[in-house]
Amino acid sequence: MNDLAPAAVPGPARCDGTGVRAALRRAAPALLAFAAIRLLGIVVLALWSAAGGRSWHTLLTARWDALWYTRVAEQGYGYTVALPNGDVHSNLAFFPLLPWLERGLSALSPLSAADAGMVVSWLASLAAAWALYATGERLHGPRAGVALAALWAALPVGIVQSMAYSESLFTALAAWALYAVLTGRWVAAGVLASLAGLTRPVGAAVVAAVWVTAAVTLWRERAGGSPLRTAARRHPGLLPGVLLAPLGWCGYFLWVAVHQGSLTGYLDIQEGWGNGFDGGIAFASFVRQQLSGPVFAAGAGLLVGIGLVIWLQVRGVRQGQPLPLVVYGGTVLLLALTAKGYFGSKPRLMLPAYPLLLPLAVGLSRWRRAWPWLAIGLLATGSAVYGAFWLNGSGPP
């Protein structure tokens, strides 16, 4: 079983203005690498879209879920679409933090709500990259931190980080919440976890990471003979952080329940979209159909991909990845693989599971200096081409 390890949950680090500036200077190479990779993706998307007579701006701000977020920002909740097959799509399926930020930014600037969503996503993706660097640096050194941020930017579905979607915002909040746990800032972790819970349903994974880590921390103190009150004093803010963590997720879930007049209101909304959790039965059936049909290669590729992400999770545990990262990454992976619905969404749903990339980042950080950048450059090029192809085709639902 993974162990917290003394180095994994140290005391709070310096967080005054001088400390923040120093941390930002250390993170600068990672942020520059991240920005360069994402800029490459946008440039390739713009060129590809122009060749097909389409607008890269529209693809990033005004299609698929981005339209739903914009409608919430502009008109609030209550909009539904009834489909011919009887399904009902309600905008209550979309958590409120991104639309709130879109509305606020558009009210304070000339930006439309859609453009505000893209700006929030771009800024949040940089904040997420900073958190990933800080995590990698703390656990394995600066080179691992740079590699982790660059690998996240170069994922095949990395273009989503530049869209008016909530993945970037959620990942930033989740990553900083887990970093706060790693550095013993429990109240900050609770606040950030609560905000992540207002961003996406998978905010439950951040709450789980905070709660499980706090429980193990207190259990070890008790096992060492310390009374609970003494153990809590040794970890300032732990209990308030634990209480704060679920407020966002539970608050929205309960608000929808009251709005719908049913305790399972949010689950019913998701069911109307054809989503929900069935233990992976529908996804396994989909993979089986791919393997037994004319697109065997696609089914085989899916199996390889599933095997890879599971291997990365196991590898992280074996490398001694800190408990909050293991719980969070494992929960995001579990929720993504056991959800039913549109299966093309699964790579996007796993985008926030950045701890899965940590073993790869550690491996890259041990290569000779030129080779990691060559590998990341190739991945970034592939990501840019795939992102342009993807958004000009079926795109992320």
Side-chain angles (χ1 to χ4, degrees):
M1 177 62 184
N2 184 64
D3 147 333
L4 277 170
V9 187
R14 184 176 179 179
C15 59
D16 57 14
T18 302
V20 171
R21 286 192 296 271
L24 184 56
R25 283 195 299 271
R26 294 197 308 273
L31 297 179
L32 289 172
F34 177 87
I37 293 169
R38 295 295 354 115
L39 179 60
L40 174 64
I42 293 171
V43 168
V44 172
L45 174 65
L47 294 174
W48 193 304
S49 302
R54 308 181 79 174
S55 166
W56 66 272
H57 178 265
T58 299
L59 292 174
L60 293 180
T61 62
R63 291 191 70 189
W64 305 295
D65 289 4
L67 290 172
W68 287 88
Y69 283 119
T70 298
R71 188 180 291 274
V72 173
E74 293 176 341
Q75 301 177 16
Y77 286 108
Y79 177 77
T80 60
V81 174
L83 302 184
N85 66 357
D87 289 345
V88 176
H89 290 183
S90 167
N91 64 1
L92 287 167
F94 297 90
F95 276 49
L97 186 57
L98 177 58
W100 287 347
L101 293 175
E102 289 179 346
R103 182 184 302 173
L105 184 55
S106 63
L108 297 173
S109 71
L111 295 172
S112 67
D115 285 339
M118 185 172 68
V119 170
V120 169
S121 187
W122 287 14
L123 294 176
S125 67
L126 282 170
W130 187 1
L132 268 59
Y133 169 79
T135 301
E137 177 198 44
R138 186 172 189 85
L139 298 177
H140 300 286
R143 295 188 67 189
V146 173
L148 183 59
L151 283 172
W152 190 64
L155 287 171
V157 293
I159 191 64
V160 174
Q161 297 163 13
S162 302
M163 299 178 69
Y165 270 43
S166 61
E167 275 78 7
S168 291
L169 178 61
F170 174 78
T171 305
L173 294 168
W176 280 115
L178 298 186
Y179 184 77
V181 174
L182 293 176
T183 54
R185 300 187 183 97
W186 289 99
V187 173
V191 171
L192 290 165
S194 184
L195 291 173
L198 282 171
T199 308
R200 292 188 62 79
V202 75
V206 190
V207 178
V210 173
W211 278 13
V212 171
T213 305
V216 170
T217 299
L218 293 178
W219 177 79
R220 288 183 174 178
E221 292 280 0
R222 290 294 304 275
S226 298
L228 184 59
R229 183 174 298 180
T230 302
R233 282 201 299 266
R234 287 180 180 173
H235 300 276
L238 185 148
L239 294 181
V242 166
L243 294 175
L244 286 168
L247 293 184
W249 189 89
C250 289
Y252 185 67
F253 193 95
L254 292 175
W255 181 81
V256 173
V258 172
H259 185 277
Q260 296 296 103
S262 169
L263 187 60
T264 60
Y266 186 77
L267 299 179
D268 298 337
I269 294 292
Q270 287 285 7
E271 193 66 33
W273 280 81
N275 296 327
F277 298 95
D278 62 359
I281 295 173
F283 185 46
S285 176
F286 173 75
V287 174
R288 185 171 60 252
Q289 290 172 11
Q290 301 298 302
L291 291 171
S292 60
V295 285
F296 174 83
L302 277 174
L303 285 179
V304 171
I306 294 168
L308 175 61
V309 294
I310 293 175
W311 177 83
L312 288 171
Q313 175 70 14
V314 173
R315 181 65 177 167
V317 173
R318 289 181 174 176
Q319 283 185 343
Q321 202 170 99
L323 183 61
L325 298 185
V326 170
V327 173
Y328 168 77
T331 304
V332 173
L333 180 60
L334 179 66
L335 293 176
L337 293 181
T338 59
K340 59 182 180 178
Y342 184 74
F343 302 115
S345 297
K346 292 199 179 291
R348 178 171 64 86
L349 297 178
M350 288 188 279
L351 183 65
Y354 69 90
L356 298 178
L357 298 173
L358 197 52
L360 298 179
V362 172
L364 281 177
S365 71
R366 293 171 180 169
W367 289 7
R368 295 179 60 180
R369 188 167 296 273
W371 290 106
W373 289 112
L374 177 60
I376 288 171
L378 291 173
L379 290 172
T381 302
S383 172
V385 172
Y386 180 73
F389 168 78
W390 197 33
L391 290 198
N392 280 277
S394 61

